[in-house]
Amino acid sequence: MCRWAAYRGEPLFIEELVSSPAHSLIEQSVCATRAKTSTNADGFGLAWYGDRPQPGRFRDVLPAWSDCNLKSIAHQISTPLFLAHVRAATHGATRRDNCHPFVHDTWSFMHNGQIDHFERLRRTMEQRLDDAHFGARYGSTDSELMFLLAMQFGMKERPLEAMAEVIGYVEKLSLDMIGSARVRFTAAFSDGKSLYAVRYSTDAFAPTLYAGPMGLDGGYCLVSEPLTDDSEAWVEIPAGSAVILSDDGLNVANFGPLQPDETKPALEMAV
Amino acid sequence: MCRWAAYRGEPLFIEELVSSPAHSLIEQSVCATRAKTSTNADGFGLAWYGDRPQPGRFRDVLPAWSDCNLKSIAHQISTPLFLAHVRAATHGATRRDNCHPFVHDTWSFMHNGQIDHFERLRRTMEQRLDDAHFGARYGSTDSELMFLLAMQFGMKERPLEAMAEVIGYVEKLSLDMIGSARVRFTAAFSDGKSLYAVRYSTDAFAPTLYAGPMGLDGGYCLVSEPLTDDSEAWVEIPAGSAVILSDDGLNVANFGPLQPDETKPALEMAV
Amino acid sequence: MCRWAAYRGEPLFIEELVSSPAHSLIEQSVCATRAKTSTNADGFGLAWYGDRPQPGRFRDVLPAWSDCNLKSIAHQISTPLFLAHVRAATHGATRRDNCHPFVHDTWSFMHNGQIDHFERLRRTMEQRLDDAHFGARYGSTDSELMFLLAMQFGMKERPLEAMAEVIGYVEKLSLDMIGSARVRFTAAFSDGKSLYAVRYSTDAFAPTLYAGPMGLDGGYCLVSEPLTDDSEAWVEIPAGSAVILSDDGLNVANFGPLQPDETKPALEMAV
Amino acid sequence: MCRWAAYRGEPLFIEELVSSPAHSLIEQSVCATRAKTSTNADGFGLAWYGDRPQPGRFRDVLPAWSDCNLKSIAHQISTPLFLAHVRAATHGATRRDNCHPFVHDTWSFMHNGQIDHFERLRRTMEQRLDDAHFGARYGSTDSELMFLLAMQFGMKERPLEAMAEVIGYVEKLSLDMIGSARVRFTAAFSDGKSLYAVRYSTDAFAPTLYAGPMGLDGGYCLVSEPLTDDSEAWVEIPAGSAVILSDDGLNVANFGPLQPDETKPALEMAV
């Protein structure tokens, strides 16, 4: 399992999440207290939005705690919207192409979780990609593949529905091919305007997701694990939920798998 | 020999020097037309100034042309003052600590050239460092060592004099220890406000230095080799000169070695 | 284009090809005199046979000339059969998984050349892989894909025919999908007992291949470019040929594309 | 703290210590059960003796568990004497030059432990090096520096005395400069013929050291932590001891600090 943190609000130095807090992402890379895998040393990554619609991205394969570039970049760059990730490899070798966040056009995506039996499902899932999205697959992780499928299923127009359809597609495929299915999926993604996060699992053990205020002026942080011990500052998002941070503030919606061919509206806003 | 480019002016995307021009720094890393060493594949680095007095820095050991992080960061970051460097190793192994630019406090520094017989001079030069600057030495290059000596000699108050004193000190040390001396030195350095460059050699073969206008609004670029074939756009800076880019525009001064213990003013402005 | 060297004979230190000769592979990585691309700085690799049927392998993405591990390993390891490669990327990012030699079971393979329009052919070629060989694809190069297809087509039983069938398959696929075809292919491969090399191109410009004696006791070296200026020591292998080094010495055979479904014997021994 | 394992005996595949046992070195890099630092992800290294008097060496900065080169090399190479190390950085950045084992001429050395206040002692210790050994210092660790001092103090002729003198020198220097001293030091070193290990601390908490038989024919393994749960197979070496593996089998001697200028014999064999 991996650890991640994302922010949307007034410009904030990236290090305010990545290296400064008591349980900063770098601290969590050494010792995550609520994660299945206690060390997240298989690389890290940042995606941040600035003067262009596309995000900048920086990824590398060293443990986050020892990378001097990460420390300097996180210290130097101030941005209103960013995603940060430390990786403990489940699927895919330790190489830059397998480090989160993944970026496609103006979208960025990162993920904690996994698809059971992915090695047996991978080939069929890749064949589901159309040529344009197949050509955008650089690594070998389940995470990148789910992101590209979501882009193909319409992420630009209806991000949460597209993501719900990917999960529905994978669960059905696994049932058909393997006879059982389990997708554990806590992810954040953004188009540079809004920031989305999802917490879901086929079973009762969805990877954790928390939200908390950050910064002086109405910003929010979404994290796989709280960054501080101040338990009142962090709200646990229940499994089966999506969080939307936008100019309308923070909203939470129900979230569950959909079938890609479904055409009816996918989500009702819960708040 | 290495290749480098520096900019001061209105905010500019780093890629405008590093990857976009016909003879961008990345192109030069593959094939520099005026350099002694035709390939500069031993790493690269960036230092840029933004919202803090200290620069951000990003360095790595891969060839510049193949580093996806460099491409994304240069594409994403817009800054009014930056230094960029591609390295062909002369002294010091290929590792991040030996990649330019070097940073100390608010200052950044990068260099093309070399000290003859550096391996025999290195130990005495390092002993010349006081404890504070010795503790700031992370790599093994002559370039970093000259930069730290310059900081120690007073770079903050009188940057060109301090640099001239380092060269004078090294030439005298080499004469004393070896019986001959040659320092080839074309360097750029900055405190985040002004941008300085120097072209000097003990002999008649100082590494090249050019200046040219860049951007829409009075910005300038200083480079070891022109970034475009437009020969009218680039002015060759003569050997024995320093260039100062500040709020007063571009100024050129004579530059030559000084002894560290000299106290009289070192440079007369030539323009 | 890449550069490579392979050896079969009495045990020889790997450095005898990789770093010691006047035009050693490391020298060629800096400046290849007969190659299209003059710098081969996008990684390197070794595969060598020793006490096990499977080869050992060492690959990395730094330029060969600056990698201290490569120097030490090539200096230390003595082996009767090895393949060594320096890479200039044509297809596939600079990462270890894309560095030659590729290894599958007891076989090793390395390649200089390319498939025209590979980006358009890649997906169909990957779908041609059966599940077992698809699961063994870690990188994104045309070279690895041709190797895996050859394994699938029967490389263990009839290595040259299987390789000829891969080329025939790719040429036909390209004609069908693109309307034209060009495969330039100079490769070496081994099962740890015999050493094979092939020189072929659809057009008249097959990448070069040379053979020369090496070592004291009847060993041979196969190289993409001679390792010394001693022109009498190196024999150029003509295009459309295969070389087989085995306990029977050095043999040369005609080599040309075959269709995978052909069943008649593919090659007549020419010597 | 780091973890290490060394072997001397009949040729053994390196993986028999590095990746195969229940608590192999790679497993320990993920989770060391008796170490102060639970993760050792700041690089690894091997030194092994073969057909030459000098050892081969392979070091890299990735976590040991994810390095495909390490797996292949450890699987392929069979050797009668080798040292293997996984690193958790205490002093010195994460870079290859700081990864153990260190090699000088025919000698190799690796270490678990640290010198208190090393940052304040480092400069004086480096000045104690003569020019030849100063020129052989590539990294910035206390470990490499102690090894080079031991070489200078006569490691070739009397390895344990030279190492004892380094510890005595450092303790005295620290007392003189700081007013207190603590050196924790569990190390292994070899000239390619014998294998030595030392367990020592100024205080009562010397890092652990164990010995156990390995292989079929009288080989021994020295480790910082047992490689298996078979507690009867491993003997804990007491603090204040040296172990010597040679053609005379396994011997244990008392070990304690000496002053470099002392001339009397340093060690009495205890067994």
Side-chain angles (χ1 to χ4, degrees), chain C residues 13 15 48-52 54-60 62 67-69 72-73 75-78 96, chain D residues 13 15 48-52 54-60 62 67-69 72-73 75-78 96:
Chain C
F13 286 108
E15 71 174 6
W48 73 96
Y49 293 87
D51 296 328
R52 297 187 190 267
Q54 296 83 11
R57 183 169 56 177
F58 170 57
R59 304 188 288 187
D60 216 339
L62 284 176
D67 194 276
C68 53
N69 285 325
S72 184
I73 288 169
H75 181 75
Q76 181 71 355
I77 293 177
S78 172
R96 287 188 186 171
Chain D
F13 285 107
E15 71 174 7
W48 74 97
Y49 293 88
D51 297 327
R52 299 185 188 268
Q54 296 84 12
R57 184 172 53 179
F58 170 58
R59 303 188 289 188
D60 216 338
L62 284 176
D67 194 274
C68 51
N69 285 324
S72 183
I73 288 169
H75 181 76
Q76 181 71 353
I77 292 178
S78 171
R96 286 188 188 172

Side-chain angles (χ1 to χ4, degrees), chain B residues 50 57 130 150 165 200 234 240 259:
Chain B
R57 183 170 55 177
D130 57 30
E165 289 174 6
Y200 171 77
W234 299 95
Q259 287 307 312

Side-chain angles (χ1 to χ4, degrees), chain A residues 13 15 48-52 54-60 62 67-69 72-73 75-78 96, chain B residues 13 15 48-52 54-60 62 67-69 72-73 75-78 96:
Chain A
F13 286 107
E15 71 174 7
W48 73 97
Y49 292 88
D51 296 328
R52 298 185 188 268
Q54 294 85 11
R57 182 172 54 179
F58 170 58
R59 303 188 288 186
D60 216 340
L62 284 176
D67 194 274
C68 53
N69 285 325
S72 184
I73 288 170
H75 181 74
Q76 182 71 353
I77 293 177
S78 172
R96 287 189 187 171
Chain B
F13 286 108
E15 71 173 7
W48 74 97
Y49 293 88
D51 296 328
R52 299 186 188 266
Q54 296 84 10
R57 183 170 55 177
F58 171 57
R59 304 188 289 188
D60 216 338
L62 285 176
D67 195 275
C68 52
N69 285 325
S72 184
I73 288 169
H75 181 76
Q76 181 71 354
I77 293 176
S78 171
R96 286 188 187 171

Side-chain angles (χ1 to χ4, degrees), chain A residues 77-116:
Chain A
I77 293 177
S78 172
T79 163
L81 204 169
F82 66 92
L83 286 70
H85 189 273
V86 292
R87 182 165 182 255
T90 48
H91 295 301
T94 298
R95 62 183 211 227
R96 287 189 187 171
D97 285 341
N98 283 343
C99 290
H100 308 224
F102 301 98
V103 167
H104 188 70
D105 196 359
T106 62
W107 284 82
S108 53
F109 171 87
M110 63 186 175
H111 172 227
N112 175 31
Q114 64 179 24
I115 299 171
D116 278 23

